Amino acid sequence: MSTRASSRLRDARVKAESDPTPSLSSTTNTPTVSGRRSTRTPRTIVKNEDGSLDETTLARLKLEADEYRQALAAEKNNNATPARKRSVKEEPGSSSSPGVVKKSKYATKEPVGWETTLDRIREFRMQNPAPVDTMGCERLAEVGDHIPPEVSRFQTLMSLVLSSQTKDTVTSVAVRRLQKELKGGLTIQGVLDVPNEELNSIIGAVGFHNKKTIYMKQVAEICKNQYGGDIPDTAEGLIALPGVGPKMAYLTLQCAWNKNLGIGVDTHVHRIANRLGWIKTEKDGPEATREALQSWLPKAHWREINYVLVGFGQVLCLPRGPLCGDCPVQDRCPSATGVKRRKVKIEIKDEVLDEQETVSGDVAIHSIHKTEENVDEKVKVKTEVEESPFFASETTQVVKTELEDESNAQLFNEDGEISKSNLMEESADIEDLVQ
């Protein structure tokens, strides 16, 4: 016990013993950290017949002295030189991790009005069902009193492994077959016992099924030997598994472990977030999108953002040919007005040349004469489209038009060469025609 604490305990004991009243309610000021005092509720100090304190009162005073000593120790630690701040993330993507999280290079400012945009998309999703609503990976695992929790978690992880480069409808069928056809169902032991050929046949409809057959076997072996028949409960542990990426890891943590440590970014989230102008990571990949979104999106929305945007991308904001006319956020989406027409460029083929050869004596004289006949010129009109990288590429259309004798002659000057001024006039006329 420190000298200061001992002194205060001795003063309190002397004051209590000198009180002539055997039973007295008194208000005491207990010292706290930094020399401040807090007034506690009045307490009763009980004395014996000889004026000494009874055992209960002494025990209480000793307890208060111990608390005061601990407070002093804590104050001393707080006043000590601060420990070196950590610059490494405790959990990738978790802004609530202890220590100072290193700022991502993809961090961006919070976009103006994102709440309104998200509210509109959410409302649209509530009224328009999508495949992810019934066939999403988080809804494929079996649950119930007869299904152990670790089995449900393993099925969620396997569903996400199979979902890579595969539509939800196909993934759903494959998972249901595994649950019915594997001996004992879709469990760690069931995956380990089934022959590779049979497993590959069951999941044959999913993308890259040959590799995924190997991944499933390896993941089941690791979970059995290293995690006691369960799946990892950290992002690092999940990402270390064969065939599991960051998106799968964070979705698994959310759905299987109810841990909201990061946003699961798939192709829909990546595409739509960039189309909306929330971020600018279309060329940097899903991981850059995740870090950019997490830099400003409140953590309360990290879990729902995948579900909302995936369904929105499946039924409306399609990869090619998005239905912008029916979009609830058309007036707020910079990509909805991304198609802009430039000036029409016209290319006109050279006139037909007729080469004639005239023989004069032993010398062959070559002369080139331009035919004056009318020719149906093919005019190639190229419309260039300037738009978001997520929309279709440029389109080209060929328009045939018949030039009259008079207008055809005006394209050439007296020397038989194409006149630039006349060509510009003709171009303007044709431009008005194709518009």
Side-chain angles (χ1 to χ4, degrees), residues 264-274 289 293 305-306 309-310:
V265 177
D266 68 347
T267 179
H268 295 290
V269 178
H270 175 67
R271 179 181 71 255
I272 297 174
N274 278 279
T289 297
L293 286 174
I305 194 70
N306 178 274
L309 294 188
V310 167

Side-chain angles (χ1 to χ4, degrees), residues 135-278:
M135 303 178 187
C137 297
E138 67 278 7
R139 289 169 171 76
L140 299 181
E142 297 174 300
V143 294
D145 297 337
H146 63 292
I147 303 295
E150 61 271 16
V151 173
S152 295
R153 290 192 284 264
F154 180 73
Q155 290 184 3
T156 298
L157 177 58
M158 289 296 96
S159 300
L160 286 164
V161 171
L162 294 174
S163 69
S164 176
Q165 302 295 318
T166 307
K167 293 184 177 180
D168 287 342
T169 51
V170 178
T171 302
S172 176
V173 173
V175 172
R176 297 307 181 202
R177 287 192 61 186
L178 289 169
Q179 292 169 342
K180 292 181 179 180
E181 299 181 23
L182 292 186
K183 185 178 180 180
L186 181 51
T187 63
I188 291 178
Q189 196 60 44
V191 172
L192 292 175
D193 292 342
V194 65
N196 288 8
E197 296 78 9
E198 182 179 349
L199 179 59
N200 191 22
S201 175
I202 294 175
I203 66 171
V206 305
F208 304 98
H209 55 88
N210 292 325
K211 289 186 177 180
K212 291 177 181 178
T213 298
I214 300 175
Y215 292 155
M216 291 179 66
K217 288 281 189 177
Q218 294 174 338
V219 170
E221 187 72 27
I222 293 173
C223 290
K224 179 180 179 180
N225 296 333
Q226 299 183 19
Y227 295 94
D230 209 336
I231 66 174
D233 62 350
T234 64
E236 294 90 348
L238 288 166
I239 295 175
L241 296 175
V244 178
K247 179 203 77 171
M248 302 179 193
Y250 292 116
L251 290 178
T252 300
L253 289 174
Q254 292 172 353
C255 301
W257 291 107
N258 198 28
K259 292 183 177 182
N260 187 22
L261 300 180
I263 300 175
V265 177
D266 68 347
T267 179
H268 295 290
V269 178
H270 175 67
R271 179 181 71 255
I272 297 174
N274 278 279
R275 278 184 179 177
L276 291 173
W278 286 353

